Amino acid sequence: MTSILAPLLGGLGLFLLGMALMTDGLKTAAGDALKSILGAWTRTRARGLVAGAFITAAVQSSSAVTVATIGFVNAGLLTLGQAIWVVFGANVGTTMTGWLVSQVGLKLDWGALALPLIGLGMIAGLALKSRPRLGGAAQAVAGFGLFFLGVGLLQQAFSGLAPQIAALNLEEAGIFAIPVFVLVGALLTTLTQSSSAAIAITLSASAGGAVPLPLAAAAVIGANIGTTSTALLATIGATPAARRVAMAHVAFNAVTALAALALLPLLLWASEGVLDGAHLVDDTPGRLAAFHTLFNVLGVLLILPLAPRLTRWLAGLFGTPDEALSRPEFLDSNLLQTPALAVRSLALECWRLHALALDLAAARLAAPGRRSAGPDHRHDALSDLADAIRDFIDRLTQTTLAPQSGKVLADLVRVIQHAEEVLQASAQLQALPAPRTGPALKPAWQAIDDQVRASLAAAADRETFADTAADTEKAFQTLKSALLAALADGSAGLGPVDTGLVRAQVLRRIALSARDGRQRLGDWLNGDNGQS
């Protein structure tokens, strides 16, 4: 038994090591090309699908591509709609491993092929340390050698196990063996964190005919299911958007697996009969590689009509209150066809941004000098909302607008800027220490605080506009004079006075920005959208 177990474990280890070296080496050799492809080739569903398949076939790791895609979504570089098609393409691209194993690894003299590749790759890698991209290519060559060496050892191990496996009479196991082999494939992938390893084991086991084709195909389906574990592990501590991408991976693989199991006889006939007839494959491992490709392509065809609904469903998962703030409530791409309605919706969304910014500023004013322990997600969410409104305005300006609409859009852009000024100033206020108030300064500080609160309340009144600029300036000048007088008579030092002046200026900026934003909104809130 030891003579079989040793090459089995050794072959698996060499295969995994070779896959890791190949993946890392090819990513290093590609440099920024993979990031460029993900960034530029994903603007449509078809391009995202091709990009995912191409990159996965190139780096030989769907897990690496899926985890990278999750990272890009985490960083805001890819949208959910773009990312899910990259993930779907990665599932198609990963089938290249089966073809490599079946058509090269199991057919060539692995010793004669693998050992020179390992030697040449490692020597070239050492010689090219100063040139990372060429060194990465050399590492990938060594990885290919280890890959084929591992496949050869796996084949050797399973050839030794063939009599024992044949004695199990798997041909007569019946339909209940199918779910067992699906589970075996899933467990192998989960344990090795590589669907390629599970598929290589399955292909090697089937090469001698010990495992019947239907059961080996069931294990391949299980490997496809097991690969979702890597994506789920990558979402620990990730953003809701990244978790949605992982769920898209799970959904795709679940749909694909169910379809493959339901159509197993038909897909096996296609991989065995049609491809044999075309002289493309003539053995069980080749048929399994073809089966793997067929059912993943079938998964893409099945998910195609479901993708819009799936994207909407995923968009509602793992939601947070902050994320709800960042999502526009009144903007819809369909409104771009009717500019008058689009401008009206923009006014409502700008009001929402304005009101939310005032609400956050008021909360910060109520807690002077109290800094948040972590990142201010509410502030970030409102910044994202401002960006979403700008994006909608940009798309609207590319349509045919009435002459008066330019005035509306110009005012609404300024409303966004004033809301951002309120956010930035209130954040600065929160970072400043609470003011020192002596008997002479306390009334002046109380007056400007009351005035800023009054300005925020007036700016939050949707029905009427009250110009508070003069009262704000009066309160500011009174406080400024009181601070300078305290410095002159020695009742306050330079440090507190200097900090107090900065705080007073920030308070004035909050009040005036809130007032200016409300003034810019003007009549647009009441339905005058400039289209007349």
mmCIF file of all heavy atoms in Angstrom, residues 194-218:
data_model
loop_
_atom_site.group_PDB
_atom_site.id
_atom_site.type_symbol
_atom_site.label_atom_id
_atom_site.label_comp_id
_atom_site.label_asym_id
_atom_site.label_seq_id
_atom_site.Cartn_x
_atom_site.Cartn_y
_atom_site.Cartn_z
ATOM 1 N N SER A 194 -8.105 23.587 -4.826
ATOM 2 C CA SER A 194 -7.782 23.633 -6.254
ATOM 3 C C SER A 194 -8.683 22.655 -6.992
ATOM 4 O O SER A 194 -8.537 21.433 -6.841
ATOM 5 C CB SER A 194 -6.307 23.278 -6.489
ATOM 6 O OG SER A 194 -6.049 23.129 -7.868
ATOM 7 N N SER A 195 -9.606 23.180 -7.785
ATOM 8 C CA SER A 195 -10.440 22.295 -8.604
ATOM 9 C C SER A 195 -9.583 21.593 -9.642
ATOM 10 O O SER A 195 -9.880 20.466 -10.054
ATOM 11 C CB SER A 195 -11.544 23.102 -9.287
ATOM 12 O OG SER A 195 -11.002 24.067 -10.166
ATOM 13 N N SER A 196 -8.492 22.242 -10.076
ATOM 14 C CA SER A 196 -7.596 21.620 -11.058
ATOM 15 C C SER A 196 -6.988 20.346 -10.495
ATOM 16 O O SER A 196 -6.833 19.340 -11.201
ATOM 17 C CB SER A 196 -6.487 22.599 -11.448
ATOM 18 O OG SER A 196 -7.024 23.732 -12.090
ATOM 19 N N ALA A 197 -6.619 20.369 -9.199
ATOM 20 C CA ALA A 197 -6.048 19.167 -8.574
ATOM 21 C C ALA A 197 -7.079 18.047 -8.531
ATOM 22 O O ALA A 197 -6.759 16.879 -8.832
ATOM 23 C CB ALA A 197 -5.563 19.495 -7.169
ATOM 24 N N ALA A 198 -8.309 18.383 -8.164
ATOM 25 C CA ALA A 198 -9.357 17.365 -8.101
ATOM 26 C C ALA A 198 -9.624 16.777 -9.486
ATOM 27 O O ALA A 198 -9.822 15.562 -9.642
ATOM 28 C CB ALA A 198 -10.637 17.969 -7.536
ATOM 29 N N ILE A 199 -9.615 17.629 -10.503
ATOM 30 C CA ILE A 199 -9.854 17.145 -11.866
ATOM 31 C C ILE A 199 -8.679 16.302 -12.354
ATOM 32 O O ILE A 199 -8.861 15.273 -13.018
ATOM 33 C CB ILE A 199 -10.125 18.340 -12.802
ATOM 34 C CG1 ILE A 199 -11.498 18.938 -12.459
ATOM 35 C CG2 ILE A 199 -10.074 17.931 -14.268
ATOM 36 C CD1 ILE A 199 -11.778 20.261 -13.112
ATOM 37 N N ALA A 200 -7.453 16.711 -12.008
ATOM 38 C CA ALA A 200 -6.279 15.925 -12.398
ATOM 39 C C ALA A 200 -6.330 14.535 -11.762
ATOM 40 O O ALA A 200 -6.014 13.527 -12.414
ATOM 41 C CB ALA A 200 -5.005 16.644 -11.986
ATOM 42 N N ILE A 201 -6.737 14.454 -10.495
ATOM 43 C CA ILE A 201 -6.868 13.154 -9.827
ATOM 44 C C ILE A 201 -7.928 12.310 -10.520
ATOM 45 O O ILE A 201 -7.743 11.113 -10.779
ATOM 46 C CB ILE A 201 -7.213 13.353 -8.340
ATOM 47 C CG1 ILE A 201 -6.026 13.977 -7.597
ATOM 48 C CG2 ILE A 201 -7.624 12.041 -7.697
ATOM 49 C CD1 ILE A 201 -6.348 14.395 -6.175
ATOM 50 N N THR A 202 -9.051 12.954 -10.855
ATOM 51 C CA THR A 202 -10.142 12.231 -11.510
ATOM 52 C C THR A 202 -9.718 11.716 -12.884
ATOM 53 O O THR A 202 -9.995 10.556 -13.245
ATOM 54 C CB THR A 202 -11.367 13.146 -11.646
ATOM 55 O OG1 THR A 202 -11.742 13.637 -10.358
ATOM 56 C CG2 THR A 202 -12.535 12.400 -12.263
ATOM 57 N N LEU A 203 -9.055 12.563 -13.654
ATOM 58 C CA LEU A 203 -8.614 12.147 -14.988
ATOM 59 C C LEU A 203 -7.586 11.016 -14.895
ATOM 60 O O LEU A 203 -7.606 10.072 -15.693
ATOM 61 C CB LEU A 203 -8.011 13.331 -15.736
ATOM 62 C CG LEU A 203 -8.963 14.487 -16.088
ATOM 63 C CD1 LEU A 203 -8.225 15.582 -16.835
ATOM 64 C CD2 LEU A 203 -10.132 13.993 -16.915
ATOM 65 N N SER A 204 -6.679 11.128 -13.916
ATOM 66 C CA SER A 204 -5.668 10.082 -13.746
ATOM 67 C C SER A 204 -6.322 8.762 -13.340
ATOM 68 O O SER A 204 -5.929 7.686 -13.813
ATOM 69 C CB SER A 204 -4.648 10.501 -12.686
ATOM 70 O OG SER A 204 -4.000 11.698 -13.050
ATOM 71 N N ALA A 205 -7.328 8.855 -12.463
ATOM 72 C CA ALA A 205 -8.018 7.633 -12.021
ATOM 73 C C ALA A 205 -8.796 6.995 -13.159
ATOM 74 O O ALA A 205 -8.953 5.763 -13.210
ATOM 75 C CB ALA A 205 -8.954 7.963 -10.864
ATOM 76 N N SER A 206 -9.290 7.822 -14.093
ATOM 77 C CA SER A 206 -10.089 7.280 -15.191
ATOM 78 C C SER A 206 -9.237 6.774 -16.347
ATOM 79 O O SER A 206 -9.739 6.081 -17.235
ATOM 80 C CB SER A 206 -11.048 8.346 -15.713
ATOM 81 O OG SER A 206 -10.326 9.384 -16.372
ATOM 82 N N ALA A 207 -7.936 7.140 -16.341
ATOM 83 C CA ALA A 207 -7.087 6.811 -17.492
ATOM 84 C C ALA A 207 -6.984 5.307 -17.706
ATOM 85 O O ALA A 207 -6.938 4.840 -18.849
ATOM 86 C CB ALA A 207 -5.692 7.416 -17.306
ATOM 87 N N GLY A 208 -6.948 4.537 -16.627
ATOM 88 C CA GLY A 208 -6.835 3.084 -16.767
ATOM 89 C C GLY A 208 -8.168 2.388 -16.880
ATOM 90 O O GLY A 208 -8.216 1.152 -16.946
ATOM 91 N N GLY A 209 -9.260 3.134 -16.847
ATOM 92 C CA GLY A 209 -10.581 2.535 -16.989
ATOM 93 C C GLY A 209 -11.161 1.991 -15.708
ATOM 94 O O GLY A 209 -12.219 1.359 -15.725
ATOM 95 N N ALA A 210 -10.476 2.241 -14.564
ATOM 96 C CA ALA A 210 -10.981 1.693 -13.298
ATOM 97 C C ALA A 210 -12.255 2.404 -12.859
ATOM 98 O O ALA A 210 -13.152 1.780 -12.286
ATOM 99 C CB ALA A 210 -9.904 1.805 -12.224
ATOM 100 N N VAL A 211 -12.331 3.712 -13.105
ATOM 101 C CA VAL A 211 -13.518 4.487 -12.721
ATOM 102 C C VAL A 211 -14.361 4.707 -13.970
ATOM 103 O O VAL A 211 -13.873 5.276 -14.957
ATOM 104 C CB VAL A 211 -13.125 5.840 -12.101
ATOM 105 C CG1 VAL A 211 -14.365 6.661 -11.756
ATOM 106 C CG2 VAL A 211 -12.272 5.637 -10.873
ATOM 107 N N PRO A 212 -15.618 4.275 -13.966
ATOM 108 C CA PRO A 212 -16.467 4.452 -15.149
ATOM 109 C C PRO A 212 -16.642 5.932 -15.497
ATOM 110 O O PRO A 212 -16.586 6.796 -14.619
ATOM 111 C CB PRO A 212 -17.795 3.822 -14.725
ATOM 112 C CG PRO A 212 -17.468 2.938 -13.569
ATOM 113 C CD PRO A 212 -16.302 3.561 -12.884
ATOM 114 N N LEU A 213 -16.875 6.197 -16.765
ATOM 115 C CA LEU A 213 -17.002 7.573 -17.246
ATOM 116 C C LEU A 213 -18.092 8.363 -16.521
ATOM 117 O O LEU A 213 -17.851 9.501 -16.119
ATOM 118 C CB LEU A 213 -17.252 7.568 -18.757
ATOM 119 C CG LEU A 213 -17.381 8.936 -19.433
ATOM 120 C CD1 LEU A 213 -16.105 9.746 -19.274
ATOM 121 C CD2 LEU A 213 -17.721 8.769 -20.917
ATOM 122 N N PRO A 214 -19.313 7.824 -16.320
ATOM 123 C CA PRO A 214 -20.349 8.610 -15.623
ATOM 124 C C PRO A 214 -19.944 9.023 -14.206
ATOM 125 O O PRO A 214 -20.236 10.131 -13.769
ATOM 126 C CB PRO A 214 -21.567 7.683 -15.612
ATOM 127 C CG PRO A 214 -21.329 6.742 -16.737
ATOM 128 C CD PRO A 214 -19.849 6.527 -16.779
ATOM 129 N N LEU A 215 -19.272 8.105 -13.482
ATOM 130 C CA LEU A 215 -18.876 8.434 -12.110
ATOM 131 C C LEU A 215 -17.728 9.443 -12.100
ATOM 132 O O LEU A 215 -17.683 10.339 -11.243
ATOM 133 C CB LEU A 215 -18.479 7.162 -11.364
ATOM 134 C CG LEU A 215 -19.580 6.110 -11.204
ATOM 135 C CD1 LEU A 215 -19.106 4.953 -10.347
ATOM 136 C CD2 LEU A 215 -20.838 6.735 -10.600
ATOM 137 N N ALA A 216 -16.800 9.300 -13.027
ATOM 138 C CA ALA A 216 -15.722 10.288 -13.134
ATOM 139 C C ALA A 216 -16.304 11.656 -13.497
ATOM 140 O O ALA A 216 -15.854 12.691 -12.984
ATOM 141 C CB ALA A 216 -14.705 9.846 -14.184
ATOM 142 N N ALA A 217 -17.309 11.665 -14.360
ATOM 143 C CA ALA A 217 -17.965 12.932 -14.730
ATOM 144 C C ALA A 217 -18.642 13.557 -13.514
ATOM 145 O O ALA A 217 -18.624 14.786 -13.330
ATOM 146 C CB ALA A 217 -18.981 12.692 -15.841
ATOM 147 N N ALA A 218 -19.249 12.723 -12.660
ATOM 148 C CA ALA A 218 -19.874 13.232 -11.432
ATOM 149 C C ALA A 218 -18.830 13.876 -10.526
ATOM 150 O O ALA A 218 -19.083 14.917 -9.906
ATOM 151 C CB ALA A 218 -20.597 12.111 -10.705
#
